[in-house]
Amino acid sequence: MASPDTSLPVVDGLPRRLAIGWLSLGLCALGISSLFAVLLVMLRTPYLRDLFHRRELFPATLVLHVDLAVLVWFLSLAGVLWSLLGDARLPRLGWTALGFAVVGALGMVAALLLGVGHPLMSNYIPVLDGPVFLTGLGLLAAGCALMVLRTLVLGPGLTTPAHRGGVLRFGAYCAAIAIAMAMFTLIRDYHGLPDVKMGREYFGRLFWGGGHLFQFANTLLMLVTWLVLVGDIGARVRVRRSVLISLFGLEVAPVFLVVLVPALADVNSDHYRFAFTQLMRWGIWPVAVIFMIFVLYALYRTERGAGPRPAGATLLRFSILLFCVGLVLGALIRTNDVMVPAHYHGTDGAVTLAFMGLTYHLLGRLGFATVPERAIRLQARLYGGGMLTLVAGLAWSGLYGVERKEAGSLQVFTNVQEFAGMLLMAAGAVVALVATWYFLALVLPALFPSLARHRAVPRTGHAPRS
């Protein structure tokens, strides 16, 4: 049985330049978000949290941390994949999309630095309710919409030759469909909500449906990245190309059910929220688990021989483990406690680690200096271990009912188990932060000095791995 080629094509020209632009935006967003995370850890840590008494400091910082680390970082890496798996058509649309996204992200950060906007911890996209932040968020959304439009117009690549990433292109195309449906849902919900557009409850309902569909896109992009990393270490997924294409189609298929939801429940009702919760709960994991089995089997076949384990294999294993833990914890959610962030730190950590691996993979192929395998392996273990510890601490505290989105003097521990769980969370968060800074220290010096020197990239797009 012929295995599909899952190598990511990189050629000179518009796809490469757009990919570098999106990658630069994503790395900057991740770096700034990690700085905000330091303050969040202090505000969650016993003893240190007592130093802070400003009620809005924690939620305002959390807004930017979440939006940069999840929304901007994930969308930027999506832009990288869509750029590389597309072609040179529609250049103005591509650059306009990137420009809007950059200006939008800067506007969101400026809102926090200027101290304008009231923090509202709405689900999926928390906001600083003010014109500066909301304008920035709107520009970021416009940039994403234009890039999605460009991807959809360029086509799914079903006729793309195997050596040009045909399977990968279809998977990324399905992710674009999921984001397009998320935006459709957002617009529909906007028109269905009351005219009084203010407050946490309003934004929570506005982003609820689209936020759930965004998770389908993140999962699809993670699965595409897993296939890229499998190919990078010389492994082969032992299934036919048609099987992988069918699985990507099955993963995105549930998002089309959102057109039926308004017929079943009003956007202002709890039944509407429940419908999207169940759609995500039962629509995402079955196909993802099948991909996990394929990837793990490919790793098993590759590692049976002698020699050191490739760094990409370490990244893949931790990404899969975090995703599995996140899925299990999601099934344990019963109330609005810290079990909720335990769940999404597991799944989002899995996506982030996969995108870190994609960044390492792309540096050499885009014409920049590569990162040594030993350093990649260490960084992956630090990040994976730190995130697992953080998730374990949150889950432990969640079992004892510690409230989410409360910190500082507002957070009260009633027993030693809650206290110990949050200390464990803080320890894991510190390790994960150190791993994130280590990642940035490895990739940023390789990326930006090379940009300044305008290094040429070979036409083959290949570069030796370290």
Side-chain angles (χ1 to χ4, degrees):
M1 178 172 58
S3 301
D5 183 2
T6 59
S7 59
L8 189 63
V10 179
V11 295
D12 202 359
L14 179 68
R16 173 181 177 268
R17 293 194 297 271
L18 278 176
I20 292 173
W22 283 107
L23 182 60
S24 301
L25 173 60
L27 292 174
C28 289
L30 186 63
I32 297 172
S33 172
S34 68
L35 296 179
F36 290 143
V38 176
L39 183 57
L40 292 176
V41 171
M42 296 175 67
L43 289 165
R44 275 289 194 185
T45 304
Y47 301 121
L48 290 179
R49 65 190 175 93
D50 297 329
L51 300 175
F52 302 92
H53 302 284
R54 180 184 166 191
R55 184 182 180 90
E56 290 193 348
L57 181 59
F58 178 81
T61 307
L62 183 58
V63 166
L64 264 295
H65 168 68
V66 171
D67 288 342
L68 291 175
V70 179
L71 191 63
V72 181
W73 162 247
F74 285 5
L75 288 176
S76 297
L77 269 291
V80 172
L81 287 170
W82 290 332
S83 298
L84 293 177
L85 293 168
D87 52 46
R89 290 177 289 164
L90 304 175
R92 291 184 179 178
L93 191 58
W95 287 116
T96 303
L98 178 59
F100 277 8
V102 170
V103 175
L106 289 174
M108 294 163 65
V109 174
L112 179 64
L113 298 180
L114 294 173
V116 294
H118 176 63
L120 299 173
M121 297 311 303
S122 49
N123 289 303
Y124 286 108
I125 305 179
V127 301
L128 296 178
D129 191 9
V132 177
F133 181 91
L134 294 179
T135 299
L137 182 61
L139 289 172
L140 176 68
C144 175
L146 292 176
M147 181 55 75
V148 167
L149 175 62
R150 181 176 184 268
T151 302
L152 296 178
V153 171
L154 293 182
L158 290 175
T159 59
T160 303
H163 66 279
R164 289 296 313 278
V167 171
L168 302 178
R169 180 167 175 173
F170 183 74
Y173 185 87
C174 289
I177 291 175
I179 292 183
M181 293 300 294
M183 291 183 170
F184 163 78
T185 302
L186 176 66
I187 295 171
R188 185 185 65 192
D189 291 353
Y190 174 82
H191 289 288
L193 286 170
D195 293 335
V196 181
K197 299 173 175 57
M198 58 186 299
R200 173 177 165 180
E201 181 67 17
Y202 171 82
F203 285 105
R205 291 189 180 277
L206 176 64
F207 297 133
W208 184 261
H212 279 74
L213 299 186
F214 186 52
Q215 306 313 306
F216 281 87
N218 291 339
T219 303
L220 282 159
L221 293 168
M222 181 184 68
L223 299 181
V224 170
T225 303
W226 283 355
L227 293 181
V228 172
L229 296 179
V230 165
D232 182 46
I233 64 176
R236 288 280 187 175
V237 178
R238 303 285 174 171
V239 294
R240 296 185 183 277
R241 179 176 185 265
S242 58
V243 172
L244 292 179
I245 288 176
S246 298
L247 287 174
F248 279 128
L250 289 173
E251 181 69 10
V252 77
V255 306
F256 293 101
L257 295 176
V258 299
V259 299
L260 304 177
V261 175
L264 303 175
D266 182 78
V267 65
N268 297 287
S269 68
D270 290 336
H271 295 293
Y272 189 85
R273 297 167 65 92
F274 180 76
F276 278 97
T277 301
Q278 295 306 304
L279 180 66
M280 186 181 73
R281 173 172 291 179
W282 300 107
I284 286 182
W285 68 266
V287 172
V289 168
I290 295 174
F291 266 94
M292 288 180 200
I293 295 172
F294 289 156
V295 170
L296 289 174
Y297 183 65
L299 292 178
Y300 167 75
R301 289 180 59 90
T302 302
E303 294 170 355
R304 284 188 303 175
R309 176 180 295 177
T314 304
L315 280 159
L316 276 168
R317 290 183 185 279
F318 271 112
S319 180
I320 291 173
L321 179 58
L322 280 168
F323 193 70
C324 288
V325 169
L327 292 179
V328 171
L329 294 179
L332 297 177
I333 294 174
R334 294 295 180 268
T335 60
N336 193 32
D337 55 34
V338 291
M339 187 66 77
V340 177
H343 154 66
Y344 66 67
H345 274 85
T347 54
D348 289 351
V351 179
T352 291
L353 192 54
F355 284 164
M356 287 176 172
L358 178 65
T359 303
Y360 290 132
H361 170 75
L362 286 176
L363 285 177
R365 297 174 67 83
L366 291 172
F368 305 111
T370 56
V371 178
E373 292 257 324
R374 182 176 180 181
I376 296 175
R377 194 177 294 110
L378 174 60
Q379 189 272 327
R381 288 170 177 168
L382 282 174
Y383 186 84
M387 288 300 297
L388 287 171
T389 305
L390 181 154
V391 167
L394 287 171
W396 178 263
S397 298
L399 292 175
Y400 289 91
V402 174
E403 292 293 323
R404 63 184 294 222
K405 300 180 181 177
E406 295 291 347
S409 59
L410 300 176
Q411 188 178 62
V412 178
F413 299 118
T414 59
N415 54 56
V416 68
Q417 289 88 353
E418 296 176 5
F419 182 86
M422 297 313 289
L423 279 180
L424 186 64
M425 176 281 303
V430 169
V431 175
L433 276 174
V434 170
T436 301
W437 291 331
Y438 186 32
F439 165 75
L440 294 170
L442 292 172
V443 301
L444 288 178
L447 184 66
F448 288 109
S450 298
L451 280 172
R453 291 195 296 270
H454 300 286
R455 291 177 57 180
V457 63
R459 284 284 177 181
T460 59
H462 295 282
R465 289 170 53 217
S466 297

